[in-house]
Amino acid sequence: MRFSDASATTIDLLRHGEPVGGRMLRGSTDHPLSDTGWQQVTDTVMRHTVEGHLPYDAIVTSPLMRCREFALWLGEEFDLPVQVEDDLAELHLGQWEGKTYAEVTAAEGTARMSAFWHKPAEVAPPDGETLQAFDARLAEVWRRLLLQPPGQHVLVVAHLFVCNGLLRQVLEQPLSRVLAMDLPYAAMSRVRHERHALGDTSFIEWIGR
């Protein structure tokens, strides 16, 4: 159901492209995009250009290079303001930072890794950020994003766990479901947040790559 008198804010969530080093438990480890990663995010965003213009009014980005460098380039290319939001940084993975899944399981077995994926609200990586702390900072980011003036269209460039966590805010899923969606590199999701006489309503559209 849509409300004809609604004032809407549209927020597109873009996961970064492939970083240098390929798939690993990267977390807050600060790697730049690979050439393939640049192509992935560029292709996704450019599909939304209309007569050489993007539909966005502003860009908000994680401070990590794999998000920030692309966001700053895009902002300069299309003359859009870019805000670096520290709280959009990826979940810190503690002792697993920068390691592959094989390296972690070889060193400590599979039990903790399996528990983290299946019960992330109960088990954190060794010396890593708890899901409760992560969710609290994302809730504050989401609150600030929804303060955008009605009619604004904002691009958020972020990470797998961050995009999952922000979508959890919309879907109001249990915290244990925050890692449930394995979004591919350069995947984009759209949230339309409407303000109307009966309150606020959010809708999600899966745009893909």
Side-chain angles (χ1 to χ4, degrees):
M1 178 178 180
R2 297 293 176 91
F3 298 87
S4 59
D5 60 341
S7 296
T9 299
T10 303
I11 300 171
D12 286 358
L13 304 176
L14 175 69
R15 186 189 177 193
H16 61 76
E18 176 195 83
V20 170
R23 293 187 68 87
M24 65 175 64
L25 293 157
R26 190 168 276 100
S28 59
T29 302
D30 204 5
H31 291 163
L33 289 177
S34 66
D35 290 344
T36 297
W38 273 95
Q39 191 64 53
Q40 288 169 336
V41 286
T42 301
D43 286 350
T44 294
V45 171
M46 292 309 174
R47 282 203 305 273
H48 300 283
T49 59
V50 179
E51 297 180 351
H53 297 282
L54 288 173
Y56 303 114
D57 299 291
I59 302 170
V60 182
T61 180
S62 160
L64 299 179
M65 285 190 293
R66 56 192 183 272
C67 298
R68 186 188 74 243
E69 290 183 343
F70 173 74
L72 291 173
W73 170 83
L74 194 66
E76 183 174 354
E77 191 76 7
F78 289 90
D79 194 26
L80 296 171
V82 179
Q83 175 187 342
V84 178
E85 173 57 73
D86 289 344
D87 283 339
L88 284 174
E90 183 60 298
L91 179 71
H92 179 63
L93 297 175
Q95 295 178 24
W96 296 349
E97 283 284 328
K99 297 179 180 178
T100 65
Y101 297 92
E103 288 171 337
V104 171
T105 55
E108 60 182 67
T110 60
R112 187 155 187 167
M113 177 74 72
S114 178
F116 170 66
W117 287 112
H118 291 96
K119 298 180 179 180
E122 301 175 22
V123 180
D127 299 324
E129 184 176 15
T130 67
L131 204 59
Q132 288 78 9
F134 178 67
D135 187 64
R137 66 175 166 92
L138 291 187
E140 180 58 24
V141 171
W142 189 244
R143 184 191 69 79
R144 293 198 295 269
L145 285 170
L146 294 183
L147 292 177
Q148 298 288 335
Q152 293 285 294
H153 193 166
V154 179
L155 176 67
V156 175
V157 187
H159 308 271
L160 174 60
F161 293 166
V162 171
C163 290
N164 269 323
L166 292 175
L167 291 172
R168 191 198 81 80
Q169 303 290 328
V170 180
L171 295 170
E172 299 182 350
Q173 290 183 318
L175 188 57
S176 60
R177 296 287 296 165
V178 74
L179 308 183
M181 293 176 284
D182 188 13
L183 303 172
Y185 288 134
M188 185 181 285
S189 309
R190 175 168 295 165
V191 179
R192 177 182 169 88
H193 184 77
E194 299 183 346
R195 301 170 179 86
H196 46 77
L198 299 180
D200 292 4
T201 308
S202 294
F203 304 90
I204 295 176
E205 177 183 353
W206 307 103
I207 299 176
R209 277 180 53 184

